[in-house]
Amino acid sequence: MKFHILTLFPEMIRNGLQLSVIGKAVENNIIAIDAVDIRDYSMEKHRKVDDYPYGGGAGMLMQAQPVYHAHQAVTGGRKVRTIYVTPQGMPFTQTKAEEFAAEEELVLLCGHYEGIDERVLEEIVTDYISIGDYVLTGGELPAMVMVDAIARLIPGVLGNGISSEEESFHNDLLEYPQYSRPEVWHKKRVPEVLLSGNHSKVAAWRLEQSILRTADRRPDLYARYQARKCLISQLSREKRNHIHMIESLARGRAEVLYMDDGMEADREEAGNGKTVNETNVSETNDAESMGSMDVVLYDSRDRICMISARTAASGDKVARCVPESAEYVVASHEFFDIFFNGMSEEFQGNRKNYQLCGRYIPMLYTCKAALSVKWKKSIPWKKSIPWKNSIPWESIRSLSEADWSLLERITAEFDYGICCNGKKIRTEEQVRDYLQERLKAGVMYGIFAEENLAGVIGMHKGGSVGMLYVDLPYRRQGFAASLTAYLVNRMLEKGWTPYACVPADNMAAGNLLDKLGFYKAAKEVSIYQREAVQP
Ligand code: ADE
């Protein structure tokens, strides 16, 4: 990833980011930081870049021309996400850091003096970001803060093999207290449970401490944590149908954009002393059959919007909340087709680029017990599966970018791009790009036999299990089950509920998951994608 930082003080950036983890990542060519001196693009004699503001007022303003030319020089006119760091921006959060980390290149523009001429901002800036509600003397420190937070999410920068996809930071809870040697210091003992060696007790204690600490130090975060928990429990009334939403919330990936549990209307109704008439009764039944609430969630990192609604009428309202930036829309109910195809003119502009990718059946693994990856002779609660070979779990590993050629070779025949009644909805190039992106995100796993990559599995954007593929010579030997079990176990370790969205016509995948103990949802979900290929 490349950061271009447009600044009047390039030395400040170079000095600030040359040491420690970020300095090492630059040295190892994992990231590049290009500090660009805006003065180099001034057309004035003395490299002047500022002038008085029209209309008067204190201080000087950075002029449009040098900023524009510096920007043109680094982007060459290409569309590159350009962040203006300013106290007037959106708050910088972990979610934002993750969203920016998905870009190949970023431009960060640092202001000075009283700001920058508005006209150039209108032309080049895509995001206005603030690092907090206080005013600093310039944008260099905020830019460095952002580079640090974004860069550490890029695979290889931290060098500990933890993929940022799997890192659970922003579950709205602060870290629990930590202790190191000695066991007693200043007469204070390390909490007994941490010495017990009992992993589940340690995990429970840490969660409890996180909750207590958050309630004490950050009541705002704690309120969000509770609201999220409450929404999860409401959605859990139809767990199988809402599993993608529940998991996105539980894994700290999705934010709530809109929510209406229908209680307000009921309360109003009660307050007005009205009786529930015939129409209301049928609406209520309709609501029950379609789901329990109107919800719009957005996973801004993967640009997935998840919508669910009680009725077709509320579906229309809900679907209007889909953000402009959403690349995928996962809709829980069929009537969204009506919405996407026959919606009002006003919203057509934004929505017409969405195309139905297909209908999927969510399947979830609710049992907490790990699956055996090696010899899966039997599963405790299901009938036994006839395994031909024993598969040593060591033969499964996480794939890295260095494995791309292997992955590319075995997935050449991969029909992941062909679904929706056999209609091609993605080009081969789009499938390749997607797999490459997933590989880079560190969420693809491969099974090796005789040194060959025999099969793969991965975690889709949004967090479902998928992209399962076994090369022809290795089929019918339990490789697919082993790969699935491996990924399920990794997810269970994180306290997640593993789930998959199986194309409604993919019987083989459905049967495999069924054998492994996954349960099917009663309702299908429709997945729409922006700018998918026209058949
Ligand atoms: N420039 C000055 N203050 C700032 C802040 N709080 N965040 C981002 N950029 C800034």
Side-chain angles (χ1 to χ4, degrees):
M1 175 169 195
K2 188 158 191 177
F3 297 93
H4 306 276
I5 303 172
L6 311 187
T7 167
L8 295 179
F9 299 95
E11 278 315 298
M12 191 170 167
I13 303 288
R14 289 184 197 118
N15 291 336
L17 296 174
Q18 69 179 348
L19 297 175
S20 184
V21 176
I22 304 299
K24 274 261 164 341
V26 173
E27 236 174 80
N28 295 335
N29 291 321
I30 302 168
I31 57 168
I33 300 172
D34 167 32
V36 179
D37 192 344
I38 297 173
R39 273 184 212 285
D40 289 347
Y41 297 89
S42 164
M43 286 173 162
E44 307 257 347
K45 249 204 312 219
H46 303 292
R47 291 164 48 89
K48 190 165 132 3
V49 290
D50 59 329
D51 213 328
Y52 294 100
Y54 280 115
M60 305 287 270
L61 216 55
M62 278 167 72
Q63 292 168 286
Q65 175 275 318
V67 172
Y68 185 70
H69 283 125
H71 187 264
Q72 287 290 102
V74 298
T75 61
R78 286 169 302 122
K79 274 200 162 157
V80 181
R81 202 137 179 209
T82 299
I83 301 162
Y84 177 39
V85 283
T86 165
Q88 296 159 30
M90 291 280 287
F92 185 56
T93 57
Q94 189 66 19
T95 310
K96 277 274 166 220
E98 285 166 0
E99 189 187 319
F100 292 136
E103 302 286 336
E104 286 292 321
E105 244 179 306
L106 279 179
V107 177
L108 288 110
L109 172 60
C110 307
H112 251 276
Y113 313 121
E114 288 306 309
I116 302 182
D117 190 311
E118 192 67 22
R119 292 166 297 184
V120 67
L121 300 178
E122 282 166 13
E123 292 205 11
I124 65 171
V125 173
T126 54
D127 300 81
Y128 293 82
I129 300 288
S130 164
I131 62 158
D133 289 340
Y134 41 79
V135 183
L136 301 167
T137 54
E140 283 72 20
L141 285 172
M144 287 194 270
V145 165
M146 289 179 62
V147 169
D148 190 291
I150 297 166
R152 68 178 285 287
L153 299 175
I154 294 164
V157 170
L158 287 183
N160 57 5
I162 294 176
S163 99
S164 69
E165 289 267 345
E166 295 186 11
E167 195 183 41
S168 65
F169 170 86
H170 52 170
N171 56 2
D172 292 329
L173 289 178
L174 301 179
E175 274 271 7
Y176 43 82
Q178 302 253 48
Y179 303 85
S180 182
R181 279 197 288 190
E183 257 182 59
V184 184
W185 182 82
H186 278 205
K187 297 189 186 153
K188 291 176 177 175
R189 289 195 70 79
V190 171
E192 212 53 47
V193 61
L194 299 179
L195 312 171
S196 69
N198 183 328
H199 294 304
S200 61
K201 276 195 178 153
V202 169
W205 180 85
R206 285 180 166 165
L207 176 63
E208 188 193 350
Q209 291 297 314
S210 280
I211 294 171
L212 287 173
R213 177 166 280 192
T214 311
D216 181 40
R217 295 186 189 175
R218 289 288 304 271
D220 56 325
L221 275 189
Y222 183 64
R224 256 182 29 199
Y225 167 76
Q226 282 192 309
R228 198 158 49 87
K229 261 184 64 173
C230 176
L231 177 53
I232 290 173
S233 78
Q234 276 175 290
L235 288 168
S236 297
R237 279 185 278 171
E238 278 194 49
K239 185 166 180 172
R240 294 189 199 183
N241 296 329
H242 289 138
I243 186 65
H244 57 297
M245 293 181 137
I246 294 168
E247 280 300 291
S248 287
L249 286 166
R251 298 180 198 178
R253 301 180 60 108
E255 286 169 80
V256 184
L257 297 189
Y258 177 81
M259 179 186 142
D260 179 1
D261 59 7
M263 300 300 276
E264 202 58 46
D266 291 352
R267 278 191 291 271
E268 266 171 33
E269 199 98 307
N272 291 340
K274 283 184 193 159
T275 51
V276 180
N277 61 26
E278 293 267 324
T279 332
N280 292 132
V281 170
S282 76
E283 264 180 22
T284 315
N285 289 342
D286 197 21
E288 274 170 10
S289 71
M290 283 177 164
S292 52
M293 54 203 309
D294 298 338
V295 190
V296 182
L297 302 182
Y298 191 46
D299 172 343
S300 60
R301 179 169 58 176
D302 286 344
R303 302 186 186 207
I304 301 175
C305 186
M306 288 151 272
I307 53 185
S308 179
R310 286 170 298 152
T311 62
S314 62
D316 188 73
K317 196 165 68 183
V318 159
R320 283 164 201 234
C321 300
V322 175
E324 288 280 333
S325 56
E327 195 185 339
Y328 300 91
V329 176
V330 184
S332 297
H333 305 295
E334 279 158 34
F335 55 78
F336 284 106
D337 277 355
I338 307 164
F339 170 74
F340 274 95
N341 295 329
M343 58 186 312
S344 57
E345 282 281 300
E346 194 188 340
F347 293 95
Q348 279 284 359
N350 176 29
R351 310 281 187 255
K352 68 180 172 207
N353 297 331
Y354 286 100
Q355 201 187 351
L356 182 67
C357 291
R359 296 198 191 288
Y360 298 81
I361 303 169
M363 291 189 73
L364 58 156
Y365 183 81
T366 48
C367 179
K368 298 273 178 265
L371 288 164
S372 165
V373 175
K374 207 170 170 177
W375 267 95
K376 274 292 339 95
K377 271 224 153 113
S378 66
I379 308 170
W381 65 99
K382 287 254 162 179
K383 64 181 188 302
S384 50
I385 303 174
W387 298 89
K388 292 201 174 135
N389 290 331
S390 129
I391 298 152
W393 68 266
E394 296 89 347
S395 60
I396 303 179
R397 67 164 168 84
S398 162
L399 299 176
S400 74
E401 283 183 81
D403 297 309
W404 171 241
S405 57
L406 296 177
L407 181 64
E408 191 184 24
R409 191 189 58 74
I410 87 151
T411 52
E413 302 281 307
F414 198 20
D415 65 356
Y416 157 68
I418 305 167
C419 50
C420 200
N421 307 325
K423 198 171 70 179
K424 201 172 177 72
I425 53 110
R426 294 186 190 90
T427 61
E428 275 171 29
E429 205 184 344
Q430 282 171 320
V431 175
R432 275 172 52 108
D433 286 352
Y434 186 78
L435 288 175
Q436 230 165 354
E437 187 278 331
R438 294 286 80 196
L439 194 63
K440 217 171 134 192
V443 292
M444 296 297 297
Y445 304 89
I447 186 161
F448 290 79
E450 305 137 11
E451 311 275 302
N452 294 324
L453 179 62
V456 293
I457 197 163
M459 196 169 84
H460 273 300
K461 283 190 176 187
S464 60
V465 172
M467 295 167 282
L468 176 61
Y469 183 79
V470 175
D471 206 6
L472 265 175
Y474 302 102
R475 298 220 177 136
R476 311 202 63 75
Q477 296 176 45
F479 281 34
S482 291
L483 278 163
T484 312
Y486 181 85
L487 187 49
V488 161
N489 293 349
R490 282 187 74 103
M491 292 180 159
L492 290 176
E493 277 166 22
K494 292 174 198 317
W496 299 352
T497 300
Y499 74 97
C501 288
V502 182
D505 52 3
N506 189 342
M507 296 279 288
N511 290 342
L512 171 74
L513 294 179
D514 182 59
K515 277 185 189 161
L516 288 173
F518 279 65
Y519 291 106
K520 271 193 176 119
K523 292 170 196 158
E524 294 174 355
V525 292
S526 304
I527 302 185
Y528 300 84
Q529 189 180 1
R530 193 190 274 282
E531 287 172 11
V533 290
Q534 296 298 322

